[in-house]
Amino acid sequence: MDEAAFLTQVRAFLDEALTPDLRDAGRKTLGVHSDIAACRLWHRRLFDQGWAAPAWPVDWGGAGWTARQRFLFDRECVANDAPVLFAGGIRSLGPLLIEMGTPDQRERYIGPILRGDDLWAQGFSEPGAGSDLAAISTRAVPVPGGYRVIGSKIWTTGAHHSNRMFAIVRTGDFERRQQGLTFLLLDMDSPGLTVRPILDLTGEREFNEVFFDDVFVPEANRVGPENDGWTVAKRLMSLARSNNTPSALVARSLRRAAEAVAAGGEAIEPSLRRRLSGLQIELEAFAQLELAALPSGRAEVGAATTPSMLKLIGSELHQRVCELAMEAAGPQAGAALAAIGLNGEELDQGARAMARHLCLRAASIYSGTSETQRNLIARQLLF
């Protein structure tokens, strides 16, 4: 199918499937996903169309699109204010299980991930182990038939929406801290598992603490060998960082920033217009890097550093875009302070710009800090 025909097909689907309520949910998105009810509905409509996981292999439900077609589809979704999916399962765990899971794990989990029936939280960070995942202390003690997990995880995005979690836990103590880790799949309704909210700077509940009080996990829920969870986690993080902040997501925010600058008219500070132009150029360059790095794209040199590059550039560019939108809103942005705790009530443009700016402060921390990404890149290229 040529590009024009493909875009005609995509636009026809979006015109029909994206109701005003779904578009409104997309426009109002502050955090890493849209309103959860809208997420579920939009995910189901994409699944019914066969487009829920375009990058997956066709045999597992992928759309069979080229890298260019996936890129164009994301851009069309942004242009039409489609909701942002709660899609850790689609973006990272599903592809991981296709690569590294057992036949039983793929049989059990891939279908529900693809349909959007299962929502997955990530259990990596702990109070004493953020970007340094080798420092985790949550322990899984081997018992007949599986493990008993004791400890806690923090900053678990969407754990209160999720029915499942993937986590790394410590099963052994070795000289190298990266050894002795094991990758497990848990059910969120397991006895002994407790989820407590963490409110962000806008008053929203996006993050959580999760506590494990002797939680049983069957051995069949282990991905990869015992004590080799570091290998599994590294592969998952590579998948996650590759699509953590896609250019389409930044383009959505840049459009809002451009609207805020335009709304300022002649009174807007000239330097903001210059910054907007510079960010538009940076976004185009980032989009070309992303397109080249997509599977079936043309990037080859430095492929090991590509996920870190995409995550680093995308998250920091996104922060600068949202900062510009907040500054362009001027004094109105301060209205966000009065909106803290409203949890989804209508915000005006200025308040929404401030709230989005506050939410994006975490972008250079989650999935590995910018400092961590720079270290990974340097290690690959210089040593």
Side-chain angles (χ1 to χ4, degrees):
M1 182 185 301
D2 64 30
E3 190 169 298
F6 174 76
L7 286 173
T8 297
Q9 181 186 38
V10 168
R11 288 165 182 166
F13 166 71
L14 295 178
D15 284 345
E16 179 180 354
L18 279 173
T19 61
D21 286 348
L22 287 176
R23 293 175 190 266
D24 189 53
R27 282 190 294 270
K28 291 180 177 178
T29 303
L30 295 179
V32 297
H33 62 82
S34 300
D35 170 77
I36 197 64
C39 282
R40 285 188 173 278
L41 178 57
W42 182 232
H43 193 140
R44 189 68 196 193
R45 290 185 179 178
L46 289 171
F47 170 75
D48 290 342
Q49 182 70 10
W51 295 352
W56 286 19
V58 173
D59 290 346
W60 293 100
W65 292 346
T66 65
R68 176 71 178 173
Q69 286 173 323
R70 295 197 299 274
F71 177 84
L72 292 173
F73 176 71
D74 286 345
R75 285 303 180 95
E76 289 298 316
C77 285
V78 164
N80 286 274
D81 287 319
V84 181
L85 295 180
F86 184 92
I90 287 288
R91 297 191 186 108
S92 54
L93 183 65
L96 178 81
L97 292 179
I98 291 172
E99 289 185 22
M100 305 181 72
T102 66
D104 286 345
Q105 288 167 354
R106 292 193 288 266
E107 176 70 24
R108 179 180 179 186
Y109 295 120
I110 292 298
I113 289 173
L114 192 62
R115 293 190 299 270
D117 295 339
D118 282 353
L119 297 183
W120 289 81
Q122 176 176 292
F124 279 17
S125 295
E126 297 181 5
S131 292
D132 183 11
L133 292 179
I136 67 166
S137 59
T138 294
R139 188 165 291 274
V141 180
V143 296
Y147 303 88
R148 291 285 180 182
V149 180
I150 302 168
S152 66
K153 297 291 181 178
I154 200 168
W155 312 123
T156 45
T157 302
H160 56 304
H161 297 310
S162 303
N163 62 318
R164 304 195 191 280
M165 171 185 282
F166 54 90
I168 49 174
V169 296
R170 186 161 297 284
T171 48
D173 297 293
F174 297 87
E175 184 176 351
R176 293 186 69 249
R177 295 181 305 162
Q178 290 84 354
Q179 296 176 301
L181 303 180
T182 298
F183 194 103
L184 297 179
L185 309 175
L186 301 91
D187 293 335
M188 296 296 289
D189 61 357
S190 299
L193 192 153
T194 304
V195 179
R196 296 181 186 170
I198 299 175
L199 300 184
D200 64 21
L201 288 171
T202 68
E204 296 288 328
R205 179 185 181 179
E206 186 169 84
F207 307 118
N208 300 269
E209 294 179 282
V210 179
F211 298 90
F212 308 97
D213 184 13
D214 204 29
V215 174
F216 178 73
V217 180
E219 185 177 0
N221 286 22
R222 187 186 71 221
V223 181
E226 184 174 292
N227 294 325
D228 194 30
W230 185 253
T231 300
V232 183
K234 282 200 302 182
R235 178 55 184 149
L236 182 132
M237 292 309 298
S238 176
L239 292 164
R241 288 166 180 162
S242 295
N243 51 43
N244 180 277
T245 307
S247 64
L249 189 63
V250 183
R252 185 196 300 257
S253 295
L254 189 60
R255 191 175 70 193
R256 302 287 182 252
E259 291 170 355
V261 170
E266 295 182 358
I268 201 75
E269 170 64 39
S271 65
L272 296 182
R273 297 186 189 278
R274 289 195 296 271
R275 283 168 59 191
L276 176 63
S277 297
L279 290 170
Q280 289 168 334
I281 294 170
E282 287 189 61
L283 175 59
E284 181 59 30
F286 176 53
Q288 293 306 311
L289 172 64
E290 178 187 61
L291 183 58
L294 286 170
S296 301
R298 57 186 182 277
E300 294 180 5
V301 178
T305 68
T306 298
S308 290
M309 289 174 60
L310 291 172
K311 200 278 176 183
L312 174 65
I313 296 171
S315 60
E316 293 191 350
L317 176 58
H318 203 186
Q319 285 180 332
R320 293 198 301 276
V321 166
C322 291
E323 182 178 14
L324 174 63
M326 181 268 296
E327 291 185 27
Q332 292 183 356
L337 298 177
I340 288 179
L342 291 184
N343 293 319
E345 292 188 24
E346 190 65 39
L347 302 180
D348 64 24
Q349 185 181 35
R352 190 162 296 281
M354 173 64 88
R356 187 75 177 126
H357 166 67
L358 293 175
C359 285
L360 260 292
R361 302 321 300 158
S364 51
I365 299 175
Y366 54 61
S367 289
T369 66
S370 290
E371 292 78 10
T372 295
Q373 306 311 324
R374 288 185 170 90
N375 285 342
L376 290 171
I377 293 169
R379 212 172 281 131
Q380 289 289 333
L381 297 181
L382 301 178
F383 298 100

